[in-house]
Structure formats: structure tokens, C-alpha cells
């Protein structure tokens, strides 16, 4: 495989794939590296209703595949591997992976964010045995079973609606009496008879034997303890940026997201950041794609200088 490129994009979510489309269409020799599945966190959304151009909505996984197909049509090259290190201060930029080193004049970092863990006893032990961070991926394993989903944001609510297609009962556990989710999502979940809600409630532990059997709860207002019998616990309590590889070389905000200007420039010449990994991102599929396009346009200008 070719080792030298004009541009390397790290991450195959909507930001990386939009950047790949713009760069490849501008005839920049571009490699996009993704370690998992193309589509980023959008693949967690079973049905995306707010991405323009799809009036009936679109499955997140399908949207990722369509973005990839479109970028590859213009010549984007892709590599599925893990990035292990970056030397991006000088030129050329060096991207170290388990498949060897790759170089480029410019780099777009679109590594997105990952799910935050609940960090309670039993959570880690039962991953894959009842604890999941992706309802779209794992809901079918819980057909006819009772499950809980923790969180009160758009992820928890949209995943509860998806889980209700498989599970016999879905309990959404929210730690306050307020939603972070958009009202239209909450209304949709409330209209689904299989979904019920426990507000003001904190998960203390996940328990079971071979597989998950129950979660232990505390009411945040009364302090009352209870146990909810479930076969599955889906965790959707927010996201954190995948900035481990760049935290020592790029300027990050207080919560660890990469600071950029409106051109998606990071402060290091030739290094751009786009999508959920970027400070002040709205963290929507459409805004990530917009960031990717902007980053590719300015990366193109940088490469041409
Ligand atoms: P989020 O908006 O940050 O919401 C996280 C939720 O989890 C909040 O209800 C939060 O409660 C709760 N939480 C945090 N830590 C907790 C803990 N330790 N125990 C229990 N609950 C906890 O995260 P998200 O839902 O993953 O969404 C992230 C971003 O993606 C958002 O910008 C969202 O709009 C976007 N998104 C969009 C769509 C869509 O438009 N289709 C779908 C999914 C996600 P507090 O409110 O008390 O902090």
C-alpha cells in the first residue's frame, strides 16, 4: 500500500467522510484511516430525521455507508487500522499505525468522541453480558426481555425507541427530573407503551450471575433504595473526545476538546480538526459533516501553498 499522501484524515465518521469527499473531489491524494466502522457515532442512531435530503429519515449505518461510497467514487483511499502515534509538529506529518507509518503534508483529525462509562460496580464486568453502549448494535439480543437505558439525552431517548422494537419493556433511568433530550424525541418515547421512565434516579451497581440480572438504584430526592430486574443495561450518559493521541501537542479546552478557529485550523500548521472532537461543536451529524467540508477546503489551500 502507498505510504505517502497529500492528506491523511483520521476517523471515518460524518466529519472524516465529508472531508474525504471534498478532498478526493478536489483531486488531493487522500487516505482516510478508521479503526472500526465507517459512520462514527451516527451508526448508533437507528433513524436520523434531521439530516437534510432524507425527508423520511435514514438509518445511521446506511448514511455512513452512503457517505463512504460517495467519497470513494471520487478516489478517497481508506485503511481500516488503529493509529498508534502521531508526529504532526513538523513536515511531513507522520501517522503511525499497526500497519506501518504513513506520511502527508496535511492531517485532518476527525476522531470524534466515545461513550462515557457509568463507572459503577459491575458495569465493566458485564460488558457483552448485558451491559452495552450501542442499542443499534445490540438491541436484537434482548428480544422479549426487559432492559434499562441510563441517561436523559438524545442518545438515551432515541435508543429507547429503538430498543422498544425488540425488548418487552424498556425503562429509561434519568438522574434528574429534567431531560437533556430534544422535546420531540421525548414525546416520541412517551408515546411508546413499552417505554417507561424513572426520574431522579441514580444507578449504584449492575448485578447478575453469568449475565446481568438487575440494577441497584437510589432515588436522588428521597434516598430510597430499590432494585430493577433487567437482562440488559444500555449506557447513554454522554460522550468524551478521543484526544488521547493529540493531548500533548494540540491546544485543548477545559473538557479536552480540540480548539480550532473557523477554518478548522488547530494552531499547528497543516493540522486541522473537525466534528465532535472539536471544541464548541454542536455534535450533530450535519455539523460534523460541515466541519469536515470546511477542514478539507482549508487543507487543500494549505497543501497547495
Ligand atoms: P448528553 O446530551 O450529554 O446527555 C447525557 C445524559 O446523561 C444527560 O441526561 C445527563 O444528565 C446524563 N448523565 C451524565 N452522566 C451521568 C451519570 N453518571 N449517571 C446518570 N446519568 C448521567 O449526551 P448524548 O445523549 O450522548 O448526546 C450527545 C450529543 O449528541 C448531543 O449534542 C446530542 O444532541 C447529540 N445527539 C443527537 C442525536 C440526534 O439529533 N439524532 C442523537 C443522539 C445524540 P444531566 O442532564 O443531569 O447532566
Amino acid at each position: 500500500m502507498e505510504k505517502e499522501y497529500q492528506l491523511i484524515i483520521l476517523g471515518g465518521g460524518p466529519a472524516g467522510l465529508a472531508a474525504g469527499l471534498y478532498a478526493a473531489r478536489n483531486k488531493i491524494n487522500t487516505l482516510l484511516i478508521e479503526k472500526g466502522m465507517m459512520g462514527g457515532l451516527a451508526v448508533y442512531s437507528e433513524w436520523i430525521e434531521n439530516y437534510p435530503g432524507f425527508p423520511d429519515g435514514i438509518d445511521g449505518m446506511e448514511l455512513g455507508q452512503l457517505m463512504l461510497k460517495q467519497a470513494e467514487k471520487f478516489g478517497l483511499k481508506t485503511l481500516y487500522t488503529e493509529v498508534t502515534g502521531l508526529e504532526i509538529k513538523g513536515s511531513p506529518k507522520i501517522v503511525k499505525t499497526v500497519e506501518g507509518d504513513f506520511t502527508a503534508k496535511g492531517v485532518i483529525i476527525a476522531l470524534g468522541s466515545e461513550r462515557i462509562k457509568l463507572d459503577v460496580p459491575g458495569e465493566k464486568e458485564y460488558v457483552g453480558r448485558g451491559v452495552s453502549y450501542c442499542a443499534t448494535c445490540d438491541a436484537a439480543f434482548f428480544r422479549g426481555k426487559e432492559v434499562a437505558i441510563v441517561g436523559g439525552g438524545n442518545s438515551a431517548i432515541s435508543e429507547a425507541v429503538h430498543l422498544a422494537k425488540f425488548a418487552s419493556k424498556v425503562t429509561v433511568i434519568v438522574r434528574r427530573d429534567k431531560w437533556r433530550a430534544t422535546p420531540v424525541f421525548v414525546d416520541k418515547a412517551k408515546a411508546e407503551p413499552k417505554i417507561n421512565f424513572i426520574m431522579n434516579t441514580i444507578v449504584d451497581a449492575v448485578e447478575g450471575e453469568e449475565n446481568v440480572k438487575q440494577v441497584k438504584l437510589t432515588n436522588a430526592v428521597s434516598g430510597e433504595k430499590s432494585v430493577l430486574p433487567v437482562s440488559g443495561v444500555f449506557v447513554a450518559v454522554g460522550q468524551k473526545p478521543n484526544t488521547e493521541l493529540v493531548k500533548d501537542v494540540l491546544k485543548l479546552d477545559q473538557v479536552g476538546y480540540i480548539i480550532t478557529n473557523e477554518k478548522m485550523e488547530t494552531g499547528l500548521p497543516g493540522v486541522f480538526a473537525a466534528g465532535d472532537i472539536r471544541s464548541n461543536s454542536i455534535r450533530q451529524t450535519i455539523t460534523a459533516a460541515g466541519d469536515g467540508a470546511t477542514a478539507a477546503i482549508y487543507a487543500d489551500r494549505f497543501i497547495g501553498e
Side-chain angles (χ1 to χ4, degrees):
M1 179 169 194
E2 207 180 330
K3 295 280 183 185
E4 287 171 28
Y5 294 86
Q6 288 174 291
L7 177 67
I8 296 179
I9 299 167
L10 307 179
L17 289 168
L21 168 65
Y22 270 72
R25 198 164 167 273
N26 277 4
K27 304 217 178 308
I28 302 172
N29 187 19
T30 305
L31 174 69
L32 184 150
I33 302 177
E34 164 61 49
K35 78 166 174 188
M37 205 188 297
M38 294 288 182
L41 284 187
V43 306
Y44 284 27
S45 293
E46 188 212 19
W47 210 243
I48 296 178
E49 290 178 331
N50 52 7
Y51 194 85
F54 299 94
D56 300 322
I58 182 162
D59 175 281
M61 225 172 265
E62 190 186 350
L63 182 61
Q65 287 308 309
L66 287 173
M67 287 180 174
L68 174 64
K69 188 174 169 192
Q70 192 176 0
E72 284 184 330
K73 191 176 101 179
F74 290 103
L76 177 72
K77 290 153 193 153
T78 56
L79 174 66
Y80 291 85
T81 191
E82 188 158 355
V83 178
T84 53
L86 293 173
E87 285 175 21
I88 52 176
K89 277 187 178 164
S91 189
K93 317 290 179 197
I94 304 168
V95 177
K96 296 175 173 293
T97 79
V98 289
E99 306 281 331
D101 293 359
F102 297 86
T103 62
K105 186 167 179 191
V107 170
I108 297 175
I109 298 163
L111 290 166
S113 53
E114 64 176 64
R115 285 282 166 101
I116 293 174
K117 310 283 184 286
L118 256 183
D119 202 18
V120 296
E123 179 188 20
K124 214 157 98 192
E125 291 82 338
Y126 285 105
V127 169
R129 294 190 289 138
V131 171
S132 168
Y133 300 90
C134 178
T136 324
C137 319
D138 297 332
F141 297 121
F142 296 88
R143 203 178 287 276
K145 295 183 175 162
E146 297 192 7
V147 300
I149 179 149
V150 191
N154 282 335
S155 298
I157 283 295
S158 53
E159 289 177 26
V161 172
H162 178 63
L163 282 164
K165 293 182 184 157
F166 300 88
S168 57
K169 184 178 170 193
V170 180
T171 303
V172 184
I173 303 169
V174 187
R175 71 175 172 183
R176 293 188 295 153
D177 62 349
K178 285 196 174 57
W179 298 99
R180 217 176 258 260
T182 317
V184 67
F185 279 137
V186 179
D187 291 348
K188 206 170 165 186
K190 283 187 173 163
E192 167 54 63
K194 278 197 214 168
I195 302 178
N196 68 311
F197 306 91
I198 309 183
M199 307 301 288
N200 283 319
T201 298
I202 288 159
V203 174
D204 295 323
V206 178
E207 295 181 335
E209 287 165 10
E210 187 60 31
N211 296 306
V212 167
K213 287 209 152 162
Q214 61 186 33
V215 283
K216 284 175 106 176
L217 307 173
T218 298
N219 185 297
V221 178
S222 67
E224 192 186 328
K225 305 268 180 201
S226 62
V227 165
L228 178 72
V230 283
S231 304
V233 183
F234 288 81
V235 180
V237 297
Q239 293 152 27
K240 64 172 187 194
N242 289 319
T243 40
E244 195 51 38
L245 288 168
V246 294
K247 67 180 188 332
D248 298 327
V249 282
L250 295 181
K251 229 187 201 173
L252 307 181
D253 68 14
Q254 281 177 332
V255 273
Y257 290 86
I258 300 172
I259 296 171
T260 66
N261 61 15
E262 74 281 6
K263 297 177 180 173
M264 306 299 139
E265 291 168 334
T266 61
L268 272 188
V271 180
F272 302 80
D276 284 12
I277 199 165
R278 200 171 71 78
S279 182
N280 291 327
S281 158
I282 304 292
R283 293 183 236 299
Q284 301 287 304
T285 308
I286 180 66
T287 56
D291 278 5
T294 305
I297 287 165
Y298 287 104
D300 183 10
R301 291 188 192 171
F302 175 83
I303 289 161
E305 277 169 8

